[in-house]
Amino acid sequence: MKKITFALIFALTINSIHVKADEGMWLVQLIGEKTYADMVKRGLKLSKEQLYSMNKSSIKDAIVIFGGGCTAEVVSKEGLLFTNHHCGYSNIASSSTVDHNYLRDGFWAKTKKEEIVCPGLSVQFLSKIEDVSDSVLARLKDVKPNEITSKLPGILTAMSAKASEGTGNEVRIASFFKGNQFLQFTYVRYKDVRLVGAPPESIGKFGGDTDNWEWPRHTGDFSIFRVYMAADGKPSTDYKAENVPYAPKHFLPVSIKGVNDGDYAMIYGYPGGTNRYETSYGIKLKVDIDNPSLVNLRDVRLKAMHTEMIKDPAIKIQLASSYAGIANYWKFFDGESKQLVKHNVVALKEKEEAAFEAWAKGKSEYDNLFPNVKSAYDAWRPYAKGRMYLNEGILGSPLLGFCASLKMMEDAGAFEKNPTSVKTAYDNFFKGENVTSDKNILALVLKMYHDDVDANQQPEAFFNTLKANYGDLSKDETYQKFANDVFANCMFFNAAKWESFIAKPDTALLHKDPAFATALAFSSNFKSKYNKYYTDFIATTYALNNKYLKGVLEMKKGQALYPDANFTMRLSYGNVKSYNPRDAVHYKEVCTLSGVMEKYKPGDYEFDAPAKLIELINNKDYGQYIDKKTNDVVVSFITTNDITGGNSGSPVLNAKGELIGLAFDGNYEALSHKIAFDGELNRTICLDVRYLLFVVDKLGGAKNIIDELVLSK
Ligand code: ARG
């Protein structure tokens, strides 16, 4: 009996090694011999120098930070960029009007002249990485442990400013292994980036939020841009007609040979954040309080927005991008909690913590580490909900969120020193503001706050006055009447009132404004009474985590360790790979256009598809983009790579460094991935580049784009 069990376990282990997804977001410049050897064993055909080189051109030179939080890649000698549709979404939306609705209908520039300027959009190329740990740690030597979190940002900003002085480059220092290592990154920013192509939303966001974070997936999640430089080759400032297409050091060739289960795949990009060393205490706070609060509040806000968006295409264009951002992480955090519970990640972490404690025994530096972590969480936990309800609820009303930002500008002296910045902030707010949905949001979140937050922690005077003037606090209509009055009487929707205020800002008047006063009632309540617990909590846990990671690095010396994601360039490698999400179910590694037809619902908000696409499918007009194995067009495929938000738009490369896809999502079964990587279930969802080309060519008729690429057939 025993023997059989042992043999069985052995067999299972072998099998699970075989299908293991590939944990690790490696710093490209620090890939060690062991990791590189593993990559080669798995199929990589490139030298380390081709992956990353400081002096010669290498793949890393084709990878950029796109906008504020995505990745894009250069795919032609004229600075053509591929990224996700959801990364270009806000630019596509703000280029759209009801008459030229590129969000709905798509857009294809057939010549460079037709490309659309995108004010505010920029891309950044990484030019240099240096280890500055010694200098940072030296500056922190005399800082008290509980003051590090307040002083560190200033220290890093000063060091970065000094390093970039007079160079025209941007320097940012990032913290690794929870403050045990610091690396300095130099970037060159290009601010003239233009829209070249985008599919209709019914391709680029096919499946909407229902399919978001899920496999199988039939979304054509791509958009195309071009980066320009000044005629002398210098990074351009803003748009200038005389700017010329950027000439890259390296661009990616595109393979249309297709993918097979088991193929090598690697992904370069900018994963935004993971917390793989989160403690069991942190996970409990997340699952019990933080995530459910955020999800409940966003649920209500999203419904209020959606109600207006489906009524009017102009409102849809106006709110689409903000809606998508809120919805994306609403579904993420809901799924994250579910998977954390399902995979019992708390127990997993408790085991790791016990192992650490066993190793740390007798080492006085690590005494009492986890009991202290527990005390820190116990002290903060009673106030956590109030903070979430303030940030995701009250300030989730765009109007009140704007008022809170006005308060910050007031505190920073912006009304006197820089009134134009206030005016610009107002103009941006006004452009994105839909009064009807916001009014409903305000009424709903106020009631939720009143119902759900500990009564002792609420701004008492505010609710007393509300009750006195508007009635029963248990009734929805009380809040609705109040919200109506706030919107009717505040200065922000009354042009005469606002103009006269901004012409000569009188902050006393601002403080009497009903919208501003409401925002302030809640934010001051938190700031004056509870923020101290929060800053204590952050400072204490920073110091403890810093020590924990210092210990982990010592304990695991000699092992290949990767640091948590922090929006610095990483490389992940793995394979194209099918999986079994649950008992009796097998998911194939590719999705095809037949699946689009299966999901297609004419006129549906999420599952409609362009008539032209349906026609192409019916005629099987697939050209050179057909997949011979399936006799269909492969829309997307999955790999075992380790990525997260920020990687969106990242190139998926084959063993030779050719582009085979664009990473655009993670799968639902592994949504706990920021905290614990699941070796069996984790998959990255990638758009097949052949589907991208098919849409550009056959649907968009933009042969000019295809001709610009170097295709490997
Ligand atoms: N989940 C994707 C990501 O975080 C974003 C997908 C956007 N699509 C959507 N339906 N909201 O990268």
Side-chain angles (χ1 to χ4, degrees):
M1 180 67 189
K2 230 177 180 167
K3 249 185 194 160
I4 294 168
T5 320
F6 183 74
L8 194 66
I9 291 173
F10 188 68
L12 286 174
T13 324
I14 293 290
N15 188 42
S16 72
I17 287 171
H18 183 65
V19 298
K20 266 231 147 33
D22 293 284
E23 176 165 4
M25 299 174 176
W26 306 97
L27 275 156
V28 246
Q29 82 282 17
L30 293 180
I31 287 182
E33 286 313 322
K34 237 196 228 163
T35 308
Y36 176 68
D38 191 40
M39 294 169 82
V40 171
K41 207 173 94 198
R42 299 285 292 276
L44 176 68
K45 297 276 187 289
L46 301 172
S47 70
K48 254 175 123 176
E49 282 252 293
Q50 289 171 300
L51 294 178
Y52 176 90
S53 162
M54 201 71 140
N55 309 310
K56 290 196 209 133
S57 74
S58 61
I59 292 178
K60 84 116 177 51
D61 296 311
I63 319 298
V64 296
I65 296 177
F66 181 86
C70 274
T71 305
E73 51 278 0
V74 186
V75 292
S76 86
K77 63 179 194 310
E78 292 195 286
L80 197 69
L81 299 171
F82 284 172
T83 188
N84 288 151
H85 187 262
H86 75 265
C87 293
Y89 201 68
S90 65
N91 304 101
I92 303 165
S94 53
S95 307
S96 296
T97 61
V98 176
D99 296 326
H100 295 278
N101 198 337
Y102 304 134
L103 202 58
R104 187 188 60 203
D105 306 330
F107 169 78
W108 308 104
K110 304 281 164 72
T111 63
K112 294 199 181 73
K113 275 213 179 73
E114 289 171 21
E115 295 171 1
I116 300 176
V117 177
C118 298
L121 179 62
S122 65
V123 299
Q124 298 171 66
F125 288 83
L126 173 61
S127 77
K128 199 156 78 182
I129 308 173
E130 292 148 284
D131 191 331
V132 293
S133 304
D134 290 346
S135 339
V136 177
L137 295 174
R139 285 172 170 81
L140 286 176
K141 234 177 84 197
D142 300 321
V143 178
K144 288 197 198 98
N146 64 348
E147 287 181 356
I148 291 184
T149 42
S150 56
K151 303 232 162 109
L152 183 60
I155 293 173
L156 299 184
T157 312
M159 285 177 66
S160 311
K162 190 144 190 289
S164 64
E165 213 170 76
T167 64
N169 296 333
E170 284 180 36
V171 171
R172 294 191 289 275
I173 300 173
S175 157
F176 292 83
F177 298 110
K178 308 249 186 220
N180 282 286
Q181 194 187 4
F182 292 88
L183 299 179
Q184 175 172 300
F185 296 76
T186 305
Y187 300 95
V188 187
R189 191 189 286 268
Y190 289 78
K191 291 182 182 170
D192 184 355
V193 181
R194 305 178 198 171
L195 177 63
V196 176
E201 191 180 25
S202 52
I203 286 179
K205 205 183 170 174
F206 182 79
D209 290 315
T210 303
D211 272 11
N212 191 16
W213 300 111
E214 313 257 1
W215 179 258
R217 186 68 157 278
H218 299 84
T219 313
D221 199 343
F222 75 91
S223 56
I224 305 177
F225 291 80
R226 188 187 308 281
V227 50
Y228 282 79
M229 62 183 187
D232 63 1
K234 296 235 172 71
S236 44
T237 47
D238 292 326
Y239 163 81
K240 269 201 203 94
E242 62 271 28
N243 285 343
V244 297
Y246 172 77
K249 284 197 215 147
H250 183 81
F251 68 89
L252 303 174
V254 176
S255 165
I256 57 167
K257 282 180 288 205
V259 298
N260 290 302
D261 205 25
D263 278 359
Y264 178 86
M266 62 181 172
I267 297 179
Y268 278 72
Y270 282 88
T274 54
N275 200 359
R276 298 267 163 89
Y277 291 95
E278 177 64 295
T279 62
S280 55
Y281 306 95
I283 298 172
K284 284 183 223 156
L285 180 71
K286 222 176 187 336
V287 171
D288 297 345
I289 299 173
D290 287 354
N291 285 6
S293 304
L294 176 143
V295 171
N296 289 341
L297 291 158
R298 286 194 176 198
D299 199 45
V300 164
R301 288 160 53 197
L302 288 167
K303 282 185 185 131
M305 293 168 83
H306 193 259
T307 307
E308 303 312 312
M309 285 164 69
I310 54 174
K311 282 186 198 158
D312 180 346
I315 299 176
K316 155 89 200 220
I317 291 173
Q318 184 193 29
L319 297 184
S321 177
S322 136
Y323 183 92
I326 299 166
N328 191 31
Y329 275 90
W330 154 78
K331 187 163 179 185
F332 176 86
F333 283 119
D334 189 41
E336 178 183 58
S337 286
K338 288 187 178 127
Q339 303 307 338
L340 284 169
V341 171
K342 186 166 161 203
H343 302 315
N344 204 354
V345 178
V346 166
L348 205 92
K349 293 291 176 176
E350 282 171 350
K351 232 167 99 186
E352 283 175 15
E353 287 157 19
F356 181 85
E357 280 185 316
W359 170 84
K361 209 168 170 139
K363 302 183 173 76
S364 63
E365 193 180 356
Y366 304 109
D367 267 354
N368 263 334
L369 195 109
F370 289 108
N372 286 335
V373 173
K374 178 179 185 316
S375 316
Y377 276 92
D378 286 346
W380 166 243
R381 213 176 142 99
Y383 313 108
K385 195 175 194 176
R387 180 172 172 273
M388 290 306 284
Y389 270 67
L390 171 65
N391 291 334
E392 285 288 334
I394 304 295
L395 305 184
S397 147
L399 173 61
L400 268 63
F402 171 65
C403 288
S405 69
L406 278 182
K407 173 71 175 115
M408 274 153 58
M409 287 185 239
E410 182 195 346
D411 293 344
F415 284 95
E416 301 87 53
K417 285 186 274 184
N418 192 357
T420 357
S421 71
V422 181
K423 210 184 153 314
T424 309
Y426 172 82
D427 292 342
N428 284 334
F429 157 72
F430 195 78
K431 218 168 45 198
E433 176 67 357
N434 172 261
V435 167
T436 312
S437 60
D438 197 358
K439 214 187 282 182
N440 291 329
I441 290 172
L442 180 59
L444 292 163
V445 296
L446 279 172
K447 178 154 192 300
M448 285 175 83
Y449 187 103
H450 183 255
D451 291 349
D452 296 350
V453 173
D454 186 337
N456 297 319
Q457 292 178 30
Q458 303 195 3
E460 207 185 346
F462 172 84
F463 282 107
N464 285 341
T465 315
L466 183 65
K467 190 172 169 191
N469 295 338
Y470 292 87
D472 190 342
L473 294 181
S474 71
K475 291 210 168 109
D476 295 343
E477 69 202 48
T478 305
Y479 300 88
Q480 197 66 57
K481 278 188 286 181
F482 171 73
N484 289 346
D485 281 357
V486 167
F487 278 79
N489 300 323
C490 73
M491 65 170 84
F492 307 104
F493 307 109
N494 179 318
K497 274 192 200 169
W498 171 253
E499 298 292 334
S500 96
F501 169 76
I502 198 64
K504 205 170 163 289
D506 169 4
T507 48
L509 193 71
L510 183 64
H511 282 246
K512 283 199 205 105
D513 183 272
F516 189 89
T518 304
L520 200 59
F522 286 85
S523 57
S524 307
N525 175 63
F526 180 81
K527 203 168 164 205
S528 63
K529 295 191 199 143
Y530 308 107
N531 195 42
K532 58 178 180 288
Y533 301 116
Y534 185 64
T535 47
D536 273 359
F537 166 70
I538 294 298
T540 314
T541 47
Y542 179 90
L544 292 166
N545 279 324
N546 175 268
K547 210 178 264 181
Y548 178 32
L549 264 285
K550 183 166 180 241
V552 168
L553 289 172
E554 214 177 301
M555 182 172 88
K556 299 196 172 175
K557 211 172 178 144
Q559 295 182 28
L561 291 184
Y562 66 92
D564 265 317
N566 55 3
F567 208 55
T568 55
M569 190 191 282
R570 302 299 174 94
L571 177 58
S572 143
Y573 66 97
N575 297 97
V576 176
K577 198 82 217 148
S578 55
Y579 73 112
N580 302 323
R582 53 189 179 274
D583 189 33
V585 179
H586 179 70
Y587 279 164
K588 271 184 70 172
E589 70 286 2
V590 295
C591 271
T592 61
L593 280 177
S594 315
V596 171
M597 288 309 280
E598 285 171 10
K599 289 178 177 175
Y600 171 50
K601 276 192 225 149
D604 188 72
Y605 194 75
E606 296 183 312
F607 290 95
D608 200 0
K612 175 83 193 171
L613 179 67
I614 305 299
E615 189 189 314
L616 290 165
I617 297 174
N618 286 337
N619 295 336
K620 285 199 167 283
D621 184 0
Y622 301 150
Q624 61 176 341
Y625 313 111
I626 193 165
D627 179 68
K628 298 247 170 61
K629 260 188 310 177
T630 52
N631 199 28
D632 201 334
V633 173
V634 170
V635 171
S636 56
F637 61 89
I638 42 174
T639 68
T640 58
N641 293 75
D642 186 2
I643 69 158
T644 193
N647 266 114
S648 283
S650 287
V652 187
L653 307 172
N654 64 15
K656 293 195 288 191
E658 297 164 340
L659 188 71
I660 52 174
L662 268 62
F664 73 94
D665 213 356
N667 60 333
Y668 202 80
E669 295 83 5
L671 272 196
S672 41
H673 75 253
K674 282 189 186 285
I675 292 176
F677 185 88
D678 191 303
E680 303 297 328
L681 292 172
N682 191 88
R683 291 295 179 276
T684 285
I685 303 177
C686 314
L687 171 76
D688 192 304
V689 77
R690 291 171 297 172
Y691 184 48
L692 183 160
L693 302 179
F694 164 79
V695 172
V696 168
D697 183 343
K698 298 276 177 179
L699 192 117
K703 289 244 172 5
N704 54 309
I705 295 175
I706 307 286
D707 291 343
E708 221 186 296
L709 307 169
V710 172
L711 295 187
S712 156
K713 300 186 188 178

